[in-house]
């Protein structure tokens, strides 16, 4: 089978070696194991631009190179039709030569790919929608258009669309799915963490406004001022780092808040193991891997009510759903910190749930998709 992957995720070439976003590479390795040939239709970046990247460890038969474009300036809007025409031409050629078409959505290229795939109704196709599938959420019109095309079984045929969470009213080609980080062999015993000593929080994600790292800091700061022995470690890099450093310095929080930067997976894993809570007050997510990873190691998740997060947290039975109101959320945490039995119960439930979704299970599901 010749598999074509159409994605906005870029390749970075270094001395003829191809690199890509690390979690993406780990998933691609699984797809590649079950096909005869793998082709890509995606853009090229000259540098990592802050992404944590890994080398792609397998042979790519063909890379249909796209130009990365956006509409964030007047000049780019003017020349956008040229890029769109060029991209559609390349996508058509790539899809024509494929046995199985796999789209990665949402994104500009995902949108164009979802349009071009209509011309190939007899080819077997899958699409992974990595964003928020909730129809009630506020999203760009381009995202809504992609979702409409993908779920329209008249326009989109022979396709299974993989989405995060279970949503009422979905069309028959929509398949609830998940992502994974750890293997079955990683299911090591978890040592219960009591609340009698320092209570550790961890934030893992890009330091950008949409992830709200400042809110994470302020929530832990509030608990500290109430007399709780708490600490927060933030893993990741991003545009907000400087402003976060200034806030930490101005409020004398250096003894309880640390910015750890991008770290290797094993380092982050050890941090999860040592933490009581995984904190992610994000504005938009698909399947937040940081939450699932933390839960795997017994961290109680503290996250916003977006996308499939309420489902992941069993609507509060195995975590804390944030209201994004500092006083209310501090009160929620205060109630939980006063009830160690409830905390330990949520920790156990979190681990039990997350450990259902291993890379072994993920690979078995990918194999089924490719064989169907």
């Amino acid at each position: 089978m010749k598999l074509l992957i159409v994605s906005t995720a870029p390749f970075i070439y270094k001395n003829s070696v191809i690199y890509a976003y690390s979690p993406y590479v780990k998933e691609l390795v699984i797809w590649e194991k079950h096909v005869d040939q793998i082709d890509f239709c995606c853009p090229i970046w000259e540098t990592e631009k802050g992404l944590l990247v890994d080398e792609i460890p397998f042979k790519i038969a063909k890379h249909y190179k796209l130009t990365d474009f956006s509409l964030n300036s007047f000049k780019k809007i003017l020349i956008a039709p040229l890029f769109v025409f060029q991209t559609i031409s390349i996508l058509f050629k790539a899809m024509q030569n494929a046995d199985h078409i796999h789209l990665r959505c949402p994104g500009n290229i995902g949108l164009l790919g979802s349009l071009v795939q209509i011309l190939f109704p007899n080819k077997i196709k899958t699409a992974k929608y990595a964003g928020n599938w909730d129809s009630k959420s506020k999203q760009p019109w381009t995202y809504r258009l992609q979702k409409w095309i993908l779920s329209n079984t008249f326009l989109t045929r022979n396709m299974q669309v993989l989405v995060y969470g279970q949503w009422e009213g979905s069309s028959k080609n929509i398949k609830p799915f998940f992502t994974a980080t750890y293997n079955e062999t990683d299911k090591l015993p978890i040592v219960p963490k009591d609340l009698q000593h320092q209570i550790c929080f961890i934030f893992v994600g890009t330091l950008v406004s949409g992830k709200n790292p400042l809110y994470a800091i302020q929530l832990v700061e509030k608990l500290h001022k109430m007399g709780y022995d708490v600490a927060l470690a933030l893993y990741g890099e991003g545009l907000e780092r400087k402003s976060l450093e200034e806030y930490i310095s101005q409020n004398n929080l250096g003894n309880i808040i640390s910015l750890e930067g991008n770290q290797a997976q094993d380092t982050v894993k050890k941090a999860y193991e040592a933490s009581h809570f995984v904190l992610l007050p994000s504005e938009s997510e698909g399947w937040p891997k940081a939450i699932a990873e933390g839960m795997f190691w017994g961290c109680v998740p503290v996250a916003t009510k977006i996308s499939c997060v309420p489902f992941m947290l069993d609507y509060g039975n195995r975590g804390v759903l944030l209201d994004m109101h500092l006083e209310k959320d501090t009160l929620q945490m205060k109630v939980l910190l006063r009830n160690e039995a409830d905390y330990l119960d949520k920790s156990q439930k979190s681990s039990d749930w997350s450990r259902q979704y291993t890379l072994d299970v993920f690979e078995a599901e990918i194999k089924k998709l490719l064989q169907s």
Side-chain angles (χ1 to χ4, degrees):
M1 177 193 294
K2 186 187 295 185
L3 173 68
L4 171 70
I5 295 182
V6 177
S7 176
T8 303
F11 282 171
I12 299 104
Y13 282 80
K14 297 180 182 180
N15 299 320
S16 299
V17 177
I18 305 175
Y19 292 79
Y21 181 50
S22 295
Y24 180 47
V25 172
K26 290 180 174 63
E27 182 177 332
L28 293 179
V29 168
I30 294 173
W31 286 88
E32 189 270 341
K33 282 170 62 176
H34 300 286
V35 296
D36 302 311
Q37 177 178 321
I38 188 165
D39 298 341
F40 287 86
C41 197
C42 66
I44 295 174
W45 283 4
E46 294 182 2
T47 64
E48 295 94 331
K49 299 182 183 179
L51 279 183
L52 188 65
V53 300
D54 278 334
E55 178 184 343
I56 294 180
F58 54 79
K59 181 182 177 181
I60 294 173
K62 176 72 174 177
H63 179 196
Y64 297 89
K65 298 174 183 177
L66 301 177
T67 302
D68 193 27
F69 71 94
S70 61
L71 304 177
N72 56 6
S73 72
F74 182 69
K75 181 180 178 181
K76 289 181 179 179
I77 292 173
L78 288 178
I79 62 175
L82 296 175
F83 287 123
V84 169
F85 178 77
Q86 180 189 53
T87 300
I88 287 176
S89 299
I90 296 171
L91 283 168
F92 182 85
K93 181 180 178 182
M95 291 184 185
Q96 198 172 34
N97 293 326
D99 298 320
H100 184 121
I101 300 165
H102 178 63
L103 302 182
R104 311 285 291 198
C105 300
N108 290 332
I109 292 166
L111 173 58
L112 296 178
S114 66
L115 290 167
V116 177
Q117 63 82 25
I118 295 172
L119 303 175
F120 299 94
N122 296 320
K123 286 187 183 282
I124 300 171
K125 291 166 283 188
T126 50
K128 180 177 180 179
Y129 193 91
N132 185 353
W133 193 257
D134 185 359
S135 60
K136 298 176 182 178
S137 64
K138 292 183 180 179
Q139 297 182 8
W141 71 269
T142 54
Y143 284 23
R144 291 184 177 277
L145 179 57
Q146 286 171 71
K147 289 163 65 175
W148 180 79
I149 294 169
L150 294 174
S151 59
N152 186 311
T153 54
F154 176 77
L155 295 175
T156 299
R157 303 189 182 191
N158 279 331
M159 179 183 280
Q160 294 186 74
V161 184
L162 315 178
V163 306
Y164 295 139
Q166 296 180 341
W167 306 98
E168 292 185 7
S170 294
S171 53
K172 63 182 181 181
N173 66 335
I174 304 302
K175 179 181 176 66
F177 215 65
F178 63 98
T179 190
T181 302
Y182 303 113
N183 293 294
E184 290 288 330
T185 54
D186 290 313
K187 290 182 177 179
L188 302 174
I190 296 173
V191 178
K193 292 161 276 193
D194 61 46
L195 302 176
Q196 305 308 311
H197 304 89
Q198 187 175 62
I199 301 163
C200 298
F201 290 74
I202 183 172
F203 170 103
V204 179
T206 313
L207 303 182
V208 294
S209 58
K211 297 281 187 181
N212 284 316
L214 179 59
Y215 190 86
I217 291 172
Q218 290 173 331
L219 181 60
V220 173
E221 176 189 12
K222 191 85 170 173
L223 291 169
H224 172 67
K225 289 181 176 178
M226 294 172 67
Y228 288 97
D229 183 8
V230 291
L232 167 65
L234 296 97
Y235 288 82
E237 291 289 354
L239 297 174
E240 296 289 306
R241 183 182 180 104
K242 185 176 180 180
S243 62
L244 296 177
E245 288 175 337
E246 291 174 354
Y247 185 89
I248 292 167
S249 176
Q250 290 169 3
N251 292 277
N252 300 312
L253 299 174
N255 59 328
I256 64 165
I257 309 291
S258 64
L259 300 177
E260 303 291 342
N262 286 333
Q263 297 292 338
Q265 181 178 313
D266 192 55
T267 301
V268 177
K269 185 186 83 168
K270 290 177 181 176
Y272 284 132
E273 291 179 284
S275 298
H276 295 77
F277 295 93
V278 56
L279 182 53
L280 191 65
S282 183
E283 293 176 5
S284 179
E285 292 290 338
W287 176 283
K289 289 183 73 173
I291 293 297
E293 289 171 358
M295 293 171 76
F296 192 96
W297 298 110
C299 296
V300 173
V302 181
T304 37
K305 307 169 187 175
I306 53 168
S307 186
C308 63
V309 172
F311 160 76
M312 295 173 77
L313 274 60
D314 192 24
Y315 307 93
N317 289 319
R318 50 177 172 250
V320 176
L321 290 165
L322 293 170
D323 289 311
M324 295 306 289
H325 183 287
L326 198 54
E327 295 298 330
K328 289 182 180 180
D329 292 334
T330 305
L331 180 59
Q332 285 197 82
M333 293 305 304
K334 182 179 176 182
V335 170
L336 182 55
L337 292 175
R338 285 180 170 180
N339 189 339
E340 188 170 282
D342 188 25
Y343 163 78
L344 292 172
D345 180 59
K346 282 180 165 57
S347 175
Q348 185 64 55
K349 287 178 178 176
S350 293
S351 178
D352 290 345
W353 177 84
S354 183
R355 290 188 172 205
Q356 300 175 81
Y357 301 104
T358 61
L359 284 169
D360 306 77
V361 176
F362 182 80
E363 182 169 351
E365 292 299 317
I366 294 298
K367 189 175 180 180
K368 288 179 189 176
L369 289 170
L370 289 169
Q371 292 175 344
S372 60

